[in-house]
Every structure is written in structure tokens, then in C-alpha cells.
Amino acid sequence: MSIKTRFAKIRFTKTKPAPKAHAHPGLNENGLRQCLRVAGGGALGFVVSQVMGWNYGVFFTVFPMFLLGMVPILNASIIRQFLANVSLNALEVSVVMGLLKHMPVVMTLVVLCMFLFRFNLMAKGPLFLFGANGVLTLSILLHFASYPSVDLSDLLASNVVASVLAVFIAMLMHTLFPDVEPREPPPRASKPQAQIRHETLIGGITATLSFIVFQVFDLQGSLSAQMATILVLFAMGYAGARVSARKRAIGTLLGCNLALVMQLLLYTQSNHFLLAILLYWLGLLLFGREHIKEGGGSGIGFGGLTTLGILFGQSLGPNQDLVYSALYRFSSMSVALVATLLVMACLHALLNSWAPTKISITN
């Protein structure tokens, strides 16, 4: 082989094209479609609840976000889990509040068992959506239902209607903004029994303590703070909860600040419904994009989404403003998250001192 031929061969092998960098998951076509579904679904739930004049607007704003944001697909199994949870929650809350409300200790033990059952399903994996939706919805229902001024039948009816409406909204959004390519199912990781017990106990006990604290101190207006203490538990462990709490705090702060900016833009025009809807949809679109970029889960984007949903669902009206509500929610949520992490740290250390629930220190 001549020198010229060898040189050409070497030059050819040296000039291989570099591999293409993978696009950010929040910037691909599927991510964009899911972002539009989350923003459109959340806005549509808000519009329907306001037009119909239904109570408990937070159900109608948060449920579509949860169903469209926490799972990127919609199939028969997801719908069954979502609706089955609604039926079970209505039955549980009716029994607990109808028969056990006058016995606080017994009621607390029953609530603990309900939370442990759901966190056990979450820890095992296949029914994570059923367990997560059950924990979130059950905590909200118990929070409202424990106050004498609340009509229990109206509360449960609003929850059922909002859940069924969320399913129809999700189906509509998936029809209008379908994925352009099929999604790969997430890998299923097997967990040792000790880790399942650890995650079940730390989640169930912390959720029950949150319920007790919000009842003892009569924190009826602190729904956002209570939801924050529940959503950080979806990380299924103390280490994950620390990261989730920081992101949740940032998302809530951004959501509150954005709500304040919207209030300033609306100023005296807050009774103009179309302007409020437009700003609300743009806010959901912004946080929905961040949620998709984070890869789902309860992060900054989902924290901002639920904050806007709670503020608009509960605090927006012709003679109301969001300033006090936004400031109160961020301050109460910050205190609640710090207290939740302290409780989880103690439980994590305690459970790791017992062999049947001992796991790696990083979990």
C-alpha cells in the first residue's frame, strides 16, 4: 500500500461524525403535546367550575393537572384506578366522619391504616397512581370534612363530579393533543421487602401526623400547606423528600409571585373572566413546560401548577384578590415543609435502627 493510500485511510478514520446529542425531554414533540394537555386541562376545569358556580373549585383545577401531569398516557387501567379511588374515598370518608368523628383516637388509627394501605401500593409500584391519588384526595377530604360548617354530602359530591370531569377532560386533551410517537413504558425496579416496609411506614405515619397537626391547630385555610406535606411524600423516602421539598418550595414561591403579577395586571379588571382565564392558561403553560422538562414528578413545575390551581380555584372572585392568599400560602407551606422534613428525618433514623425496615442511608 502506498503512502498516499494509507494517509487517505487514516484521514477517513479520523473524521467520523460526532454522535448527535439527545434532545432535552421537555423540548420534543411528545413533551410539547403533554404541556398543552396539562395547561388546557387545568384551564378547562377552572372554567367549568366557575361557570357552573360549583363549590370546592380546587378539586376542579388540581385533578386534571394531576391526571394529565403525573402520567403522560391515558388508558383503561389509569381511568379505572382514578375512578375506583374516588368511590373508595367517598365510602371511607363517609364511614370515618359518620361513625368515628366523636372518637378522635380511633379515627386517627383508622386514618393511619388507610394511609399505610395506599403507601404500600405506591411502594410496590404497579398501582402507584391509585395510591398517590388516594393519599392526596383523602387528605384533602379529611381536611375539609372535619369542620362542622362543611356539608359532607356537598363535599363528596363535588369530589366525585370533579373526578369524573377530570377523566373526560383528560380524554378530550389526549384527543386534541395526541402524542406523535408511542412512549416507552417506565422500567419496573424490584425493591427488597425492607425498603417497601420502610417507605410504607415513613409515608403513612408522616401523612397521619400531618392530618393530626392540621386538625389540632384548626388550620382550615392552609390547604396548600397540607398538600405540600403530602406531595413531598411521593418521593418515597427521606433523601428524595429533601430534594422534592426544595423544588416544591421554589415552585410554590414562583407560583405565588406569578399570581401576584397576574393580580397587578388585572388590577380592577379581575371580574373580566376572559382576561383571568387567559392569564391563568399562560401561567399553566409556563409551569407545565417546566414540569415536563423535569421529567414529571412533584418538582418545581408541578409545585407552580398546583399553587396556581389552589389560588385561582379558592381565592379568585369578583370581590377577592390573591395578594393575601399568595403570601399566606407561601409562608404556611414553608413552615409545613420544614416540619415534615424534620419528622421524616426522625422516622428515617428510627426505621433504620430496626432490621426489618433498614435500608441504605441514601434512600
Side-chain angles (χ1 to χ4, degrees):
M1 184 183 294
S2 64
I3 296 177
K4 183 177 180 179
T5 304
R6 280 187 290 180
F7 177 75
K9 184 176 181 181
I10 294 173
R11 184 172 58 182
F12 175 77
T13 58
K14 293 289 185 179
T15 57
K16 290 182 179 179
K20 293 183 179 180
H22 293 286
H24 197 285
L27 301 178
N28 59 22
E29 288 294 330
N30 277 1
L32 176 61
R33 298 299 180 92
Q34 187 180 1
C35 179
L36 292 173
R37 291 196 294 264
V38 172
L44 184 56
F46 169 71
V47 169
V48 172
S49 66
Q50 294 295 311
V51 170
M52 299 300 294
W54 288 331
N55 296 326
Y56 306 103
V58 64
F59 292 150
F60 298 91
T61 56
V62 172
F63 284 0
M65 297 177 191
F66 183 89
L67 186 55
L68 292 166
M70 297 301 287
V71 286
I73 60 174
L74 186 68
N75 54 36
S77 175
I78 292 174
I79 294 175
R80 283 196 299 267
Q81 290 186 47
F82 195 80
L83 295 181
N85 172 71
V86 177
S87 305
L88 182 59
N89 281 343
L91 177 62
E92 289 172 331
V93 174
S94 299
V95 172
V96 169
M97 292 301 167
L99 301 178
L100 305 176
K101 193 173 182 178
H102 63 288
M103 296 183 289
V105 176
V106 178
M107 182 181 68
T108 302
L109 292 176
V110 173
V111 170
L112 173 62
C113 293
M114 292 189 296
F115 280 136
L116 288 175
F117 167 67
R118 285 169 170 82
F119 274 102
N120 185 258
L121 295 179
M122 294 168 66
K124 291 179 178 178
L127 296 177
F128 184 90
L129 178 65
F130 179 87
N133 186 34
V135 169
L136 181 62
T137 307
L138 189 61
S139 63
I140 296 175
L141 291 176
L142 292 172
H143 178 84
F144 281 129
S146 60
Y147 295 99
S149 59
V150 173
D151 184 350
L152 183 59
S153 60
D154 182 37
L155 173 66
L156 296 179
S158 298
N159 176 58
V160 172
V161 172
S163 300
V164 175
L165 180 63
V167 171
F168 281 107
I169 288 176
M171 294 171 65
L172 176 61
M173 291 298 108
H174 276 275
T175 302
L176 295 177
F177 308 108
D179 285 338
V180 296
E181 57 185 12
R183 294 177 182 264
E184 296 182 1
R188 291 187 179 182
S190 60
K191 297 180 181 179
Q193 286 298 317
Q195 183 174 349
I196 293 177
R197 298 188 196 101
H198 187 106
E199 293 177 350
T200 299
L201 289 172
I202 198 171
I205 294 173
T206 305
T208 305
L209 290 176
S210 173
F211 167 73
I212 294 173
V213 169
F214 279 89
Q215 298 309 300
V216 171
F217 291 96
D218 195 23
L219 301 175
Q220 188 171 4
S222 301
L223 178 61
S224 182
Q226 187 183 25
M227 283 185 61
T229 63
I230 298 300
L231 288 172
V232 297
L233 299 177
F234 289 1
M236 305 303 294
Y238 172 61
R242 286 185 300 177
V243 178
S244 178
R246 179 178 61 85
K247 292 182 177 181
R248 178 76 191 177
I250 295 174
T252 302
L253 177 61
L254 294 176
C256 290
N257 287 335
L258 184 58
L260 294 176
V261 172
M262 292 178 181
Q263 180 70 29
L264 292 176
L265 291 176
L266 291 172
Y267 197 49
T268 58
Q269 307 300 318
S270 60
N271 57 336
H272 287 197
F273 193 47
L274 291 179
L275 291 177
I277 294 173
L278 177 60
L279 289 177
Y280 181 59
W281 179 78
L282 291 175
L284 294 182
L285 197 64
L286 178 65
F287 284 118
R289 180 179 182 274
E290 180 63 26
H291 174 66
I292 305 305
K293 288 176 64 178
E294 292 176 315
S298 181
I300 296 175
F302 198 72
L305 284 170
T306 53
T307 298
L308 284 183
I310 293 172
L311 288 172
F312 274 76
Q314 285 192 306
S315 306
L316 187 68
N319 299 316
Q320 294 177 314
D321 63 72
L322 302 175
V323 176
Y324 172 78
S325 297
L327 296 177
Y328 174 74
R329 272 163 176 74
F330 178 71
S331 59
S332 61
M333 181 275 306
S334 300
V335 174
L337 284 180
V338 171
T340 301
L341 288 179
L342 289 176
V343 170
M344 292 187 72
C346 295
L347 288 174
H348 180 74
L350 183 63
L351 292 174
N352 266 353
S353 63
W354 189 36
T357 58
K358 187 175 182 179
I359 61 173
S360 172
I361 195 67
T362 58
N363 292 328

